Amino acid sequence: MSVAFAALDADYQGKKERIDAAVARVLARGWFILGEEVAAFEAAFAGFLGVAHVVACANGTEAIALALLAAGAEPGDEVLLPANACVPVIAAVRLAGAQPRLCDVDPGTLTLDPASAARERTAATRFVLAVHLYGGVADVETLDGLTLIEDCAQSHGATFRGRSTGGFGRAAAFSFYPTKNLGAYGDGGAVATDDARVAERLRQLRQYGWSRRDHAEREGWNSRLDELQAAILSAKLPFLAAENERRRELAARYDAAFADLPLRLLATREGAVPVRHLYPVRTEQRDALRAHLAACGVETAVHYPTPLHLQPAYAFLGRVRGDFPVSEAACDTVLSLPLHPALSGDQAEAVIAAVRGFFGEQP
Ligand SMILES: *Cc1c(COP(=O)(O)O)cnc(C)c1O
């Protein structure tokens, strides 16, 4: 049996009627930019998260940059972020004109380590960008005196002590890239905030800095979500809670099946309910395991192969191998197994059998 890493075609087939109706509605109306679909999705997603405001935008990278700018980031302000995140996170900090300040991550959850953050922090550090990686929940409590911005691109619906991620920071960025837990059929993003002034700035920043037509109140650019994507997202949002639950069921099945293997599984922070955007395991034999799984027809991925301080584009930060050892080790050993809501029980069993087979164990 072959097991694909994602199944966006199955996702569409399961929601076809609602999505086709949403697309037809937008085409028939003939209004494509910042209309009632965007407004309706913003209201629905704010309700889902339990936040006061959601401002949709073009993608998750710009959502992070917009969140930082709307929260008051000035040129030269430092933003703490974890070294094991994906490139768009650091790209967004630079897009906002801010200065990235990397720190290491907790070896259990692979999210920002407050002790490392405290060591890296300088007098210029004003923001901490907590990345809720893999659908888990990063520490949102222990960094005093800094403005918290959340990166929720992998954590739509994950909660900490009953509250959704996206409700903890001054502002929180979401991506609706097609493979995210809530995905558009193209690019999309949003920023959530409880602060009405931040929301107002976001609405200006995402459209040329306009406070009204042709009047630039501040410097902005074009980062709009279009009506088609908003209508598709509204059609898909009602399925998100059940899909997150299905992801948790599959992850629990993997957790149980791999408990006795020499694999390091992801830890969950106390009080957190994750949404299992990805299912990473860690092993020194990552590349051999990956090749074995490919030979068994199981598609895998690496999130992420290179820590941010070792990316050529960010050599100017002056950080070297050895500076963030937990992030470096994670990048060298991590492998994501297939996990998505359309994955069948039989497919999950095939993944389990293939992984156990690699270690010479019966399924
Ligand atoms: C996907 C992702 C982003 C970037 O989102 P885009 O919509 O692709 O720009 C940022 N941060 C994290 C953690 C992501 O997973």
Side-chain angles (χ1 to χ4, degrees), residues 82 84 103-117 128-143 148 150 155 158-165 168 248 255 265-276 282 326:
N84 69 332
C103 64
D104 214 347
V105 293
D106 174 84
T109 64
L110 296 180
T111 59
L112 192 131
D113 170 15
S116 171
V128 56
L129 185 48
V131 181
H132 301 302
L133 204 64
Y134 307 133
V137 180
D139 194 314
V140 285
E141 296 177 310
T142 42
L143 286 154
L148 174 68
E150 295 174 81
S155 73
T159 62
F160 181 67
R161 301 203 178 121
R163 165 135 230 213
S164 281
T165 57
F168 296 95
R248 282 190 288 270
D255 284 348
L265 308 181
L266 202 63
T268 295
R269 180 179 308 288
E270 169 96 49
V273 179
V275 291
R276 299 296 198 164
R282 278 172 283 167
V326 181

Side-chain angles (χ1 to χ4, degrees), residues 23 49 90 93 99 108 129 136 181 191-192 200 212 231 234 274:
V23 169
L49 297 173
I90 190 167
V93 172
Q99 186 62 19
L129 185 48
N181 287 36
V191 183
E200 188 193 8
R212 58 177 195 275
S234 289

Side-chain angles (χ1 to χ4, degrees), residues 205-224:
L205 287 166
R206 77 166 169 192
Q207 177 152 256
Y208 322 126
W210 284 357
S211 58
R212 58 177 195 275
R213 193 174 179 90
D214 295 319
H215 179 85
E217 188 67 35
R218 58 188 74 247
E219 285 190 286
W221 68 94
N222 172 1
S223 185
R224 297 176 300 226

Side-chain angles (χ1 to χ4, degrees), residues 235-259:
K236 293 181 76 177
L237 180 60
F239 298 92
L240 178 58
E243 288 175 348
N244 284 341
E245 187 54 37
R246 174 70 181 153
R247 287 173 182 273
R248 282 190 288 270
E249 278 167 24
L250 289 164
R253 195 152 163 175
Y254 283 162
D255 284 348
F258 303 146

Side-chain angles (χ1 to χ4, degrees), residues 73-319:
E74 305 269 356
D77 283 352
E78 283 183 1
V79 180
L80 276 166
L81 73 159
N84 69 332
C86 47
V87 172
V89 184
I90 190 167
V93 172
R94 295 287 290 168
L95 191 57
Q99 186 62 19
R101 163 99 10 213
L102 297 174
C103 64
D104 214 347
V105 293
D106 174 84
T109 64
L110 296 180
T111 59
L112 192 131
D113 170 15
S116 171
R119 281 194 300 276
E120 294 294 336
R121 184 176 171 175
T122 73
T125 308
R126 285 194 52 215
F127 294 88
V128 56
L129 185 48
V131 181
H132 301 302
L133 204 64
Y134 307 133
V137 180
D139 194 314
V140 285
E141 296 177 310
T142 42
L143 286 154
D144 291 344
L146 298 177
T147 300
L148 174 68
I149 304 292
E150 295 174 81
D151 180 345
C152 302
Q154 303 189 359
S155 73
H156 316 67
T159 62
F160 181 67
R161 301 203 178 121
R163 165 135 230 213
S164 281
T165 57
F168 296 95
R170 178 72 51 80
F174 288 82
S175 165
F176 306 118
Y177 182 81
T179 57
K180 309 290 186 181
N181 287 36
L182 179 60
Y185 291 157
D187 277 311
V191 183
T193 182
D194 279 326
D195 185 324
R197 284 191 21 248
V198 170
E200 188 193 8
R201 280 187 219 126
L202 287 165
R203 289 185 198 285
Q204 296 175 356
L205 287 166
R206 77 166 169 192
Q207 177 152 256
Y208 322 126
W210 284 357
S211 58
R212 58 177 195 275
R213 193 174 179 90
D214 295 319
H215 179 85
E217 188 67 35
R218 58 188 74 247
E219 285 190 286
W221 68 94
N222 172 1
S223 185
R224 297 176 300 226
L225 181 73
D226 68 70
E227 290 278 286
L228 272 172
Q229 297 304 334
I232 290 165
L233 288 164
S234 289
K236 293 181 76 177
L237 180 60
F239 298 92
L240 178 58
E243 288 175 348
N244 284 341
E245 187 54 37
R246 174 70 181 153
R247 287 173 182 273
R248 282 190 288 270
E249 278 167 24
L250 289 164
R253 195 152 163 175
Y254 283 162
D255 284 348
F258 303 146
D260 63 332
L261 298 183
L263 282 178
R264 181 142 198 200
L265 308 181
L266 202 63
T268 295
R269 180 179 308 288
E270 169 96 49
V273 179
V275 291
R276 299 296 198 164
H277 172 61
L278 294 167
Y279 189 89
V281 297
R282 278 172 283 167
T283 167
E284 302 292 332
Q285 303 176 79
R286 187 260 309 277
D287 295 341
L289 173 59
R290 189 169 197 205
H292 171 83
L293 293 177
C296 298
V298 174
E299 198 183 349
T300 59
V302 174
H303 301 94
Y304 296 92
T306 308
L308 295 176
H309 60 299
L310 303 181
Q311 298 281 355
Y314 300 98
F316 69 86
L317 294 175
R319 306 309 295 258

